Amino acid sequence: QVPLLQTGGGSVQPGGSLTLSCNASMYAEEASVCLAWFRQVPGKEREVVATIKRTNNNMNYPDSVEGRFTISPDFPKNTVYLRMNDLRPEDTAMYICAARSWSASCWFAAVAGEYSYWGRGTQVTVSS
């Protein structure tokens, strides 16, 4: 098992910002790793909110968070961050990071749920 250690999360008012972090040791060991952030609301399907491919830093987002969320890596620290700005009540969810080895498309692999390693999740609550 490759541990993914998540930190961050919490409660914030609408319009606020939060940053989540995910430490993935495999990031140092595999040059072609994909990293992704998902979110899960009870009773709803898990949604991918960001992916990044280490080889070319290619990033992808769904329309629901485009322009507000940013996934960014810190290679020396084997860490990937999710910066969330202009948060809305509908962003309230459990946020989970995940990783996998090489894929032609980190995004399509995420949409298909084909990631091998998962963090435990961290709750983000947006309310006034």
Side-chain angles (χ1 to χ4, degrees):
Q1 275 284 355
V2 175
L4 300 182
L5 303 177
Q6 294 185 225
T7 59
S11 297
V12 65
Q13 292 186 341
S17 299
L18 284 173
T19 299
L20 309 179
S21 67
C22 177
N23 183 277
S25 61
M26 70 182 296
Y27 214 49
E29 299 160 5
E30 294 196 32
S32 59
V33 70
C34 293
L35 287 168
W37 285 96
F38 296 80
R39 64 187 180 187
Q40 179 80 61
V41 177
K44 294 187 177 181
E45 288 190 6
R46 184 176 60 204
E47 178 187 14
V48 56
V49 296
T51 62
I52 185 168
K53 190 170 189 176
R54 181 173 184 179
T55 50
N56 56 12
N57 269 354
N58 186 41
M59 304 172 196
N60 292 97
Y61 308 91
D63 290 344
S64 58
V65 307
E66 180 78 57
R68 299 189 298 121
F69 288 15
T70 303
I71 186 171
S72 60
D74 184 336
F75 296 129
K77 295 182 179 179
N78 302 326
T79 298
V80 64
Y81 301 96
L82 183 69
R83 175 66 176 176
M84 304 181 291
N85 294 325
D86 189 24
L87 283 161
R88 305 165 181 171
E90 55 264 37
D91 295 319
T92 295
M94 179 72 72
Y95 284 74
I96 308 160
C97 69
R100 62 161 292 150
S101 56
W102 184 88
S103 173
S105 171
C106 296
W107 174 260
F108 285 116
V111 171
E114 297 174 348
Y115 274 59
S116 305
Y117 310 106
W118 297 84
R120 295 194 174 191
T122 184
Q123 180 67 33
V124 171
T125 301
V126 185
S127 69
S128 54

